[in-house]
Amino acid sequence: MKLHSTAVHSGDRKRTGGWVPVTTPIATATSYFYDDIDDLDRVFNKDMPGQSYGRYSNPTNDALEELVTALENGEGALACSSGMAALHMAIETALLDQRRVVLAANLLYGATLNMLVKVFEPAGVETVFVDFSDENAVRSAIAEHRPGAIVMETIANPLLRVPPLDRIAAMANDAGITLVVDNTFATPLIMRPLEFGAALVVHSLTKYLSGHGDVLGGVVVAGKDHLDPLRSLSRMLGFTLGPFEAYLAMRGIKTFPLRMERQCANTCRVAQWLSSHPAVDRVYFPADTSHPDAENIKRLFAPGLFGGMVSFEVKGADRDEIFRMMNALKMVVPATSLGDVHTMMLYPAMSSHRELAPKHRARLGIHNNLVRLSVGIEAVEDIIADLDQALAAA
Ligand SMILES: Cc1ncc(COP(=O)(O)O)c(C=O)c1O
């Protein structure tokens, strides 16, 4: 071969010998060949396991999918390029039987809500929004609208409501409706929705599972009825996760349970402290015995774990005071995301729920003095000291 060909071909395509890499390498190849072209034909035909083309599967993504499937106790998974891509894939899969109505919780991540209204609705899919903490409202909406899919979050953003997932799953299964559950906030350490009867579980990998603020990704975990349609759709739509991100997500997931335990413990301490702070009007936290969904929390959550999120309202504050507080933060990061090792403060009216009309936000209870904290793994004393001085500045 001449130099130009050598530069393209040498070094690649080493056969796997008898060794096993201890951690999964990043596989960047987008296509594969076999000693005999018949084998590639068998792989395409699913008669033989193997790789053919990067949009269909990839060894690094396969490893990540196997890992998340095991975490959520599913049948299989699909790694996607973002949490929103994963949600889109899950809802499309749920609606494959052509029923064109979605029943959705009225408290959802803002982009999910927007996707239903601005992407699915113009494509002919109507969404009916209901308060999912009200079981009777869900039951009536199922009877009246006969939806093809139900969409909800295990811990709803940003007021941390916890709908009765087990009861909604029972209603969905009785009526033959595909239940799609976003488990990003609770994570499989606290709750595994497939075990309660959900059909498809979605994660933004960007959050707790990866945990270091350096990966954008998502995953759909499926039970056995929905895995093949999910994979077939993905081959056409191609919202595939890149192998670098898959590698980073796997690396992050190895420490996810340890991080999450620490985040849960820190959040309990921060929530307690906020509850007795004179500048704080109201705290939203699932460990609170007066939480409106306390019964659901007791039934559904792993004992002693209440998640790493806490929201609170600052007494008499509006946008200006909240901005002053966020600008005063020294260690806590005033940025948009959650689930990372560092504590983050977010203002829902400005970011996660920005696209909603102020009237709609107010109706959902997302007031202009509400902030949301994603508590990290730092020393809890440092988190509290920083919040204390920032609240003083507000
Ligand atoms: C609950 C929830 N689901 C889904 C998403 C979307 O994830 P991504 O940003 O990875 O697309 C987010 C993002 O904040 C989220 O909070």
Side-chain angles (χ1 to χ4, degrees), residues 271-333:
Q272 242 168 21
W273 176 81
L274 284 169
S275 302
S276 57
H277 196 288
V280 173
D281 235 358
R282 187 162 172 194
V283 177
Y284 299 85
F285 184 55
D288 189 346
T289 48
S290 64
H291 190 290
D293 305 314
E295 276 301 309
N296 298 337
I297 291 162
K298 210 161 125 195
R299 227 175 38 253
L300 300 170
F301 278 30
L305 298 175
F306 298 98
M309 308 294 297
V310 55
S311 297
F312 61 98
E313 289 169 355
V314 181
K315 222 172 246 173
D318 210 323
R319 183 185 161 99
D320 286 353
E321 290 75 20
I322 299 294
F323 275 29
R324 225 169 19 244
M325 173 175 75
M326 292 178 79
N327 278 329
L329 291 168
K330 293 191 163 79
M331 182 188 80
V332 172
V333 186

